[in-house]
Amino acid sequence: MGTTNVKQKRKETRAVRKDVEARREQAFLSLPQRRTECDQTVFRICKGVKAFSFCKRKNLPLTGGMDRIIPGWNPYLPGKPTGMLKSHTAPVIYIHVSAEDNKIFSMSTDNTIKVWDLETDSCLFTASSKASGIKGEFAACLYLPHSRALCVAADTAVLPHLRLRSGSPPEPYLVVSHQEPVVCCRYNPAFWQVVNCSEASVVKVWDFETGRLLSGFTGAHGNAGITCLTFDISGRRLITGGRDGCLKIWSYSNGHCLHTLQHDEKENEVCDCTYLEMNQHKYIIAVGWDKRINVYFDAPRDFHRFWKPQPHWQDDLNHGHKEDILCAAQCPPFLLATSSYDGEVIIWNVISGHMYCKLNTSSPSDGAEDRKSPNRSVSCLAFLETRAAKFESVAASLIANRPRGSVTFWRLFGGACSIANFTPSRDKAQVSSIAVTAGDALAYVADWKGFVHIYDIKEYGLQGPELQSPKSVTFWRAHVSVVTSLELIEKNFLLSSSLDCTVCLWSRGGEYIGTFGQHSPWDIFTPTSWSHPRVPYEILTDPQSMPAYPVLEGNVAAMHTEVEEQDNVAEEKAKPEKTPNPCSPEDPILEAEMKEDIDRWCAFRNGRLPLDQNQPSRRTCELGWPSIYQTLRCHEVACVSAVGEKPDLSIIGSDLLNLNFLAQEKEGREAAQEEH
């Protein structure tokens, strides 16, 4: 290949004018140009290289050697591999990348052949020397793409064939995005990408439009896990915080660490971080187990590898948190909210560094169990930005979770106090994540059981204290474990991650689009390509995904929201007891509903029925109709054959037309005998 250095090209352009004939002869003979020192990348690999392969489609070099590891490299960053294939037990001596089959073939000195997936870096197949028939010392190896065979020359020549299934492989029952629990995920609007991190310090980058894996890197914080992440204003840099007590700024497209942010104290876990721009200055704010607010000045022109935080605010030192800080949320232009393990919430003025107000989460109205509970932590905060920006003195401006699964709306201006409190979950599951739409119209609340609740808060808490919970729009189960993060994307989609190792994408109303990592991609602009009406397999089979107990008992309609169910239960208690009058099976309305149940059940068996409870139903809610899961009906089976009558087996193999004629002739003779 020709030179890629700009200065070298300019020199060659000037040289062309001086020696045109020599250049023409060089071009005619197609002689290669000498590469300069600045045009090459040198990879220094421990224990040397015994095998090498290059994937032109993905621009991915692969090496293998005595360390039994196959690392993948970025051609422009030789310092650290982008991924490693670890499974061989002997030195690797052959590597081949088949871009057409999306496979990687490797062979080691013990004559073991392995097939890897180029997208996921997972080992698909292992053939030992005994199974493949390769004996003796390895001499040479060559992959034949047309016959999909690997020709291995040892004592004998062996051609193991790669047999592929016809058509696309079936989707596995359990689809996971990571091999470890996912602790956080964020959407990058600049590149339409989704970035998430796991407890094993693995970072993965996904395409938002299709759900395909684009890139990733491991060991972001060494052996320490990642706890939080965010982006800068431009979206070109990724900022992660870990259990090792430091923040790292990445060029996440290639996995290169640009800066490390850490204070001089001992390693205290970073629990949350946020990026804000104020007065044309940019800051990174981190909170964690050191009980302090660490502010780092973001200077892109500072080429030092390690950055130190700014001096702590005086109010933070004198009147700040006394326990570990778990969460931080910002509200432009200058408000910052932090919450700690002891339930304390503090609102800060970022410009001056002064404490604006302190919220007392333990009120006299709390029960004895709430006051004595050892876990009083507040781990979720969300500003209602349109209200906070107007400094409304009556309306609620902040949402926070509380112990025993409750959610509190706080008024910040005109006397900070709690003006509303409700519990979304039936069994008081702790709220783990909160997201609010633009304009503060809807609030998405997720809990430890994996449920996501949507509430209409457009008019909620605007005129002062509220005695009732906000209107419940819908709810569904998104995961089978703790939901670690929620984020609204482009006003129409919801991104969720969980400790069940999955990252899922949903529509704004809860329609299941897909799980990042599934084999079949989706088109975000084509709803027919979404997984809806199906749901994730683990949710369908989990016992806690069953309807609530009042539905099973038949007291409440299966399609009701929680508010409607509570109202119906109250109405039933207020009504006098009456003798039940069940409908007869001949009722035409009941027959129509039975037919609908049967049709929906058949559609469900064929995989076409939505499993969410958000579908509109034409049944009247007051009748309390049971759903298709609880409808059982008994039918009498008619006796069509005489008991003990032995069947006639002599007709087997005979002509049916002759049998019918003989049977009619026999009946005629019997009738004549009876008349006689």
Side-chain angles (χ1 to χ4, degrees), residues 424-495:
S425 177
R426 298 176 182 274
D427 51 0
K428 298 183 179 180
Q430 186 77 6
V431 173
S432 58
S433 186
I434 302 174
V436 182
T437 60
D440 304 333
L442 298 175
Y444 291 74
V445 181
D447 57 28
W448 283 12
K449 296 294 183 66
F451 285 90
V452 177
H453 302 258
I454 305 179
Y455 290 96
D456 185 359
I457 59 170
K458 188 174 183 179
E459 304 293 335
Y460 190 74
L462 280 176
Q463 306 300 328
E466 298 280 355
L467 300 179
Q468 302 293 333
S469 61
K471 179 183 178 182
S472 176
V473 178
T474 185
F475 70 95
W476 74 95
R477 195 172 195 197
H479 299 275
V480 296
S481 186
V482 180
V483 179
T484 54
S485 63
L486 287 178
E487 184 175 2
L488 290 161
I489 302 175
E490 304 292 335
K491 299 181 181 180
N492 293 318
F493 306 101
L494 178 69
L495 180 68

Side-chain angles (χ1 to χ4, degrees), residues 52-286:
F52 174 83
S53 184
F54 179 74
C55 179
K56 186 177 181 180
R57 189 185 70 181
K58 290 186 173 292
N59 199 21
L60 176 68
L62 294 170
T63 60
M66 301 298 293
D67 55 0
R68 301 167 295 178
I69 299 174
I70 304 175
W73 303 89
N74 188 317
Y76 310 106
L77 294 174
K80 183 181 178 182
T82 58
M84 290 184 288
L85 309 179
K86 300 179 180 179
S87 184
H88 279 288
T89 58
V92 180
I93 53 178
Y94 177 79
I95 302 174
H96 177 79
V97 180
S98 177
E100 298 81 7
D101 300 330
N102 207 27
K103 302 290 188 299
I104 302 173
F105 300 89
S106 63
M107 186 174 178
S108 56
T109 55
D110 59 354
N111 295 336
T112 299
I113 300 174
K114 289 185 177 291
V115 183
W116 311 81
D117 190 286
L118 186 58
E119 294 286 346
T120 62
D121 295 341
S122 59
C123 184
L124 303 177
F125 178 74
T126 300
S128 62
S129 59
K130 184 177 181 180
S132 60
I134 303 174
K135 298 180 181 180
E137 185 178 357
F138 170 83
C141 190
L142 178 65
Y143 178 74
L144 307 176
H146 296 289
S147 59
R148 289 191 176 129
L150 194 66
C151 182
V152 181
D155 290 352
T156 58
V158 181
L159 278 82
H161 287 267
L162 177 64
R163 296 182 179 179
L164 299 178
R165 295 187 181 95
S166 59
S168 59
E171 189 75 34
Y173 284 121
L174 296 177
V175 179
V176 295
S177 307
H178 284 260
Q179 298 300 321
E180 304 83 14
V182 182
V183 294
C184 49
C185 69
R186 289 292 182 271
Y187 170 69
N188 189 336
F191 301 101
W192 282 59
Q193 294 175 351
V194 173
V195 181
N196 47 61
C197 307
S198 69
E199 288 187 351
S201 200
V202 177
V203 179
K204 290 187 177 183
V205 183
W206 309 85
D207 182 19
F208 167 70
E209 295 185 11
T210 61
R212 291 188 179 276
L213 180 65
L214 299 178
S215 62
F217 54 93
T218 60
H221 286 256
N223 295 326
I226 298 177
T227 56
C228 57
L229 66 88
T230 187
F231 294 100
D232 65 349
I233 297 298
S234 65
R236 297 183 177 275
R237 295 179 299 163
L238 173 69
I239 304 168
T240 61
R243 301 186 189 276
D244 54 358
C246 66
L247 295 169
K248 290 188 177 182
I249 303 177
W250 304 85
S251 175
Y252 71 92
S253 60
N254 52 34
H256 179 61
C257 182
L258 304 175
H259 305 283
T260 300
L261 290 62
Q262 189 175 16
H263 46 73
D264 297 328
E265 300 177 5
K266 61 180 182 179
E267 296 182 356
N268 291 309
E269 178 178 324
V270 177
C271 295
D272 201 0
C273 63
T274 183
Y275 191 96
L276 58 91
E277 185 176 10
M278 181 179 56
N279 295 334
Q280 297 182 352
H281 296 290
K282 301 173 182 178
Y283 301 92
I284 301 171
I285 297 180

Side-chain angles (χ1 to χ4, degrees), residues 287-306:
V287 296
W289 287 6
D290 60 348
K291 308 176 182 65
R292 292 291 171 260
I293 300 175
N294 299 292
V295 181
Y296 298 87
F297 183 71
D298 183 20
R301 296 183 180 180
D302 186 356
F303 297 102
H304 292 86
R305 178 67 183 272
F306 296 94

Side-chain angles (χ1 to χ4, degrees), residues 634-653:
C634 299
H635 301 273
E636 294 184 0
V637 179
C639 183
V640 296
S641 61
V643 180
E645 183 178 350
K646 186 177 180 180
D648 186 8
L649 303 179
S650 61
I651 64 174
I652 299 178

Side-chain angles (χ1 to χ4, degrees), residues 387-558:
R387 305 181 188 182
K390 298 177 182 178
F391 300 99
E392 296 182 358
S393 59
V394 180
S397 302
L398 180 70
I399 306 177
N401 69 332
R402 293 185 64 183
R404 299 181 62 81
S406 61
V407 176
T408 304
F409 281 66
W410 293 93
R411 184 177 65 191
L412 303 180
F413 312 106
C417 65
S418 170
I419 64 173
N421 185 54
F422 66 95
T423 303
S425 177
R426 298 176 182 274
D427 51 0
K428 298 183 179 180
Q430 186 77 6
V431 173
S432 58
S433 186
I434 302 174
V436 182
T437 60
D440 304 333
L442 298 175
Y444 291 74
V445 181
D447 57 28
W448 283 12
K449 296 294 183 66
F451 285 90
V452 177
H453 302 258
I454 305 179
Y455 290 96
D456 185 359
I457 59 170
K458 188 174 183 179
E459 304 293 335
Y460 190 74
L462 280 176
Q463 306 300 328
E466 298 280 355
L467 300 179
Q468 302 293 333
S469 61
K471 179 183 178 182
S472 176
V473 178
T474 185
F475 70 95
W476 74 95
R477 195 172 195 197
H479 299 275
V480 296
S481 186
V482 180
V483 179
T484 54
S485 63
L486 287 178
E487 184 175 2
L488 290 161
I489 302 175
E490 304 292 335
K491 299 181 181 180
N492 293 318
F493 306 101
L494 178 69
L495 180 68
S496 65
S497 65
S498 171
L499 295 183
D500 60 5
C501 307
T502 62
V503 180
C504 298
L505 188 64
W506 312 82
S507 70
R508 186 175 179 177
E511 296 176 344
Y512 176 53
I513 298 177
T515 300
F516 290 92
Q518 68 184 29
H519 184 271
S520 56
W522 63 74
D523 183 0
I524 199 65
F525 303 106
T526 308
T528 55
S529 67
W530 299 355
S531 298
H532 182 78
R534 295 185 298 272
V535 297
Y537 177 78
E538 62 272 14
I539 295 178
L540 184 64
T541 58
D542 192 83
Q544 295 184 1
S545 300
M546 290 293 292
Y549 294 110
V551 179
L552 292 177
E553 296 172 358
N555 298 329
V556 184

